[in-house]
Amino acid sequence: MKPFRLSRRTLLRGAGSIALGLPWLEAMLPDARAESTTLAKRFIAVYQPGGTVLDKWRPSGTETDFTLSPILTPFQALKDKLTIIDGVDMVSAVGEQHQSGIVALLTGTPQTGNQQFSGGPSLDQVIAARASADKTYKSLEFAVRWATGKSHGRLHPINSLTFADDTNFSPIPPRIDPVDVWDTLFGSLSSDGSSTPSLLASKRSMLDFLDRRYQAVAASLGTRDRQKLEEHLEQIRTLERALSVEPSTDASCTAPAVVDTADYDPRSGINSADDGSLKDTSSDAAIPKVGQYFMDMLVMALACDLTGVATLQWSDTEAKHTFPWLNLSEHHHFYQHDGGFRPAECEQIATWYSEQHAYLLQRMSETDMGGHSLLDESVVFFGSELQDPPSHQKNNAPFLLGGNGGGLRSGRYLTYSGESHNDLLLSLLRLFGDERESFGDANYCNGVLAGVV
């Protein structure tokens, strides 16, 4: 019989906000796994569109003695910080070919409802309840060259990655303007890392004003709309409370250098054509610069303890932008199947994404958090909405994990035989101390994925 364990943390939380002094009990002794494992502190999910070219993505060799593939070669210097997941299927991605993949990627649920969004919260939002409980922001969502093609700059199942842990599993739009992101996150930091009181006071005053205005509107709304508005108000109140928490001012927390992004239109998607025929070559050419700027800000937001959870989207499932720096003048969807499957171009694009992902891990590994790196205490999850571009198949999905948060053992190539990616999501939850038995749609979850935890 499994020994009964009493969690002292549970007792304290079970008493509401009142902290109770308790005697030490034998039932509070941690089990062997808890003694040997430190829970992960930070979670990042990174989405890249369009799947991969499997025979150019798949490594060769054994679990601990493997050779990186051409697409994964940019990770060579960080190979010991990488966990490659091969042979896992996105069986919960039920719905439209591309949309179902991005909706299920972090939720493990099929598309549902009239708007065809998610049937559950995304993994990042569930983790945020633990990892960001005392942070300024519950989570941060960034996106580069977002809402292209058919979504025309609007939130849509084509481009929605994250979903709130609320009654409606509301889709969360990403922040897309790098200028606004820098100002929001770091505009109140002076050169020495301390907060500027006048700016903080101004932000608190603005949020308080919005709270009062929304309360006045609520009285004239129906029940369903009031419920939605109350959930939105709670987000505003969370920000108000968070602004009373000063950001970290240790040596690892400094505002990133400002990058000139005047050549980049974050809302270019509004003017997109369904077929991608309208091109914004200036914004497209700025994608590498803007992407690295977002990654620098993401890393510093974690280092400054502003949040414990973040997501980064490289475009959306349409990805109807060009790649001038790769000398590719058509959009990604064209190379996937609109213009017939072009494996050489798809491999080139996927390899470039690997270079960006390696940059993120490198920046995290260089960020000292007091005797260990930011990457050491984090879990980074990389994924796409499908595996095979021409067929839209989602078996053998290209998943990667970075970091060692929660005791994740890296430097491994793990192979599976059609296990559900819901099991992988559940395993990632375990690294953050969440002991639930299922995640996402229970019909597609069989338990933790062997070898990950």
Side-chain angles (χ1 to χ4, degrees):
M1 177 182 293
K2 185 178 179 179
F4 172 73
R5 295 297 181 198
L6 185 63
S7 169
R8 186 168 186 265
R9 180 185 300 175
T10 300
L11 283 178
L12 289 172
R13 289 182 174 178
S17 61
I18 302 173
L20 298 178
L22 295 173
W24 187 260
L25 307 176
E26 289 185 5
M28 292 176 181
L29 288 172
D31 57 26
R33 179 174 173 270
E35 286 179 340
S36 61
T37 302
T38 301
L39 297 181
K41 293 183 178 181
R42 332 262 176 187
F43 177 74
I44 302 172
V46 181
Y47 163 79
Q48 74 174 69
T52 193
V53 182
L54 190 60
D55 63 338
K56 300 295 184 180
W57 177 88
R58 177 172 278 157
S60 60
T62 64
E63 178 179 340
T64 56
D65 184 14
F66 59 91
T67 301
L68 293 176
S69 62
I71 288 176
L72 298 182
T73 297
F75 288 103
Q76 186 62 48
L78 294 153
K79 182 179 175 182
D80 64 339
K81 292 295 184 181
L82 204 64
T83 304
I84 303 168
I85 309 292
D86 188 6
V88 170
D89 299 346
M90 291 182 65
V91 293
S92 57
V94 180
E96 194 275 336
Q97 292 172 318
H98 286 275
Q99 296 175 23
S100 65
I102 193 170
V103 167
L105 182 60
L106 293 179
T107 70
T109 70
Q111 287 185 280
T112 186
N114 294 331
Q115 294 181 308
Q116 291 294 287
F117 281 113
S118 171
S122 53
L123 181 72
D124 57 299
Q125 295 302 296
V126 175
I127 290 175
R130 292 169 173 266
S132 296
D134 58 348
K135 306 293 191 291
T136 304
Y137 299 95
K138 179 180 180 182
S139 61
L140 292 172
E141 295 78 29
F142 301 153
V144 183
R145 201 63 173 87
W146 181 77
T148 63
K150 297 176 183 177
S151 61
H152 303 293
R154 299 186 299 271
L155 194 63
H156 188 281
I158 285 173
N159 54 45
S160 296
L161 178 67
T162 59
F163 298 86
D165 193 2
D166 61 20
T167 55
N168 298 307
F169 314 125
S170 309
I172 301 173
R175 297 170 184 261
I176 59 176
D177 186 343
V179 175
D180 176 69
V181 168
W182 192 96
D183 181 63
T184 299
L185 298 183
F186 308 108
S188 61
L189 286 181
S190 60
S191 58
D192 62 358
S194 60
S195 298
T196 305
S198 60
L199 286 175
L200 288 175
S202 176
K203 291 179 180 180
R204 293 188 190 108
S205 176
M206 183 178 298
L207 290 173
D208 182 59
F209 171 75
L210 288 173
D211 193 359
R212 294 195 303 271
R213 287 292 301 273
Y214 283 139
Q215 288 284 12
V217 171
S220 60
L221 297 177
T223 302
R224 185 176 178 82
D225 283 341
R226 278 202 305 273
Q227 182 184 42
K228 290 182 179 179
L229 186 59
E230 183 56 39
E231 289 173 348
H232 186 66
L233 280 172
E234 184 54 35
Q235 293 178 8
I236 291 178
R237 291 166 189 145
T238 299
L239 284 176
E240 288 178 319
R241 291 191 293 269
L243 285 174
S244 66
V245 180
E246 296 292 332
S248 170
T249 57
D250 60 29
S252 65
C253 177
T254 57
V258 174
V259 174
D260 182 4
T261 59
D263 54 345
Y264 176 77
D265 180 3
R267 295 169 181 80
S268 182
I270 294 174
N271 301 313
S272 292
D274 284 5
D275 61 1
S277 58
L278 297 178
K279 299 177 181 179
D280 181 351
T281 54
S282 176
S283 291
D284 290 353
I287 287 173
K289 172 179 66 175
V290 172
Q292 291 201 357
Y293 192 22
F294 269 125
M295 287 188 284
D296 288 341
M297 289 190 285
L298 185 158
V299 169
M300 198 51 59
L302 294 173
C304 290
D305 234 13
L306 296 175
T307 189
V309 173
T311 58
L312 173 64
Q313 286 182 246
W314 292 98
S315 192
D316 48 67
T317 66
E318 292 271 275
K320 287 181 175 170
H321 61 77
T322 61
F323 299 80
W325 65 95
L326 297 178
N327 295 317
L328 298 177
S329 60
E330 298 294 341
H331 57 75
H332 196 175
H333 231 86
F334 176 89
Y335 299 118
Q336 292 177 47
H337 47 70
D338 284 1
F341 181 42
R342 311 290 183 92
E345 287 84 350
C346 286
E347 178 185 349
Q348 189 178 1
I349 292 169
T351 303
W352 181 79
Y353 279 126
S354 290
E355 292 172 358
Q356 308 317 301
H357 300 163
Y359 174 86
L360 174 62
L361 296 186
Q362 183 64 42
R363 291 283 289 108
M364 295 178 70
S365 71
E366 295 169 347
T367 303
D368 179 61
M369 299 300 289
H372 65 276
S373 75
L374 179 63
L375 188 58
D376 290 332
E377 63 183 34
S378 303
V379 176
V380 188
F381 173 68
F382 300 98
S384 187
E385 85 275 14
L386 49 82
Q387 178 265 117
D388 185 53
S391 69
H392 300 92
Q393 289 183 3
K394 300 171 182 64
N395 59 312
N396 298 314
F399 294 129
L400 300 173
L401 302 176
N404 301 107
L408 177 64
R409 292 178 293 118
S410 56
R412 295 186 298 154
Y413 169 40
L414 303 179
T415 58
Y416 298 92
S417 301
E419 284 85 341
S420 171
H421 106 287
N422 285 45
D423 298 349
L424 173 58
L425 299 181
L426 179 64
S427 301
L428 298 183
L429 273 178
R430 292 291 175 87
L431 296 173
F432 288 85
D434 192 315
E435 296 294 329
R436 70 185 66 193
E437 297 298 323
S438 180
F439 183 76
D441 189 319
N443 293 313
Y444 303 105
C445 193
N446 303 300
V448 297
L449 192 62
V452 175
V453 180

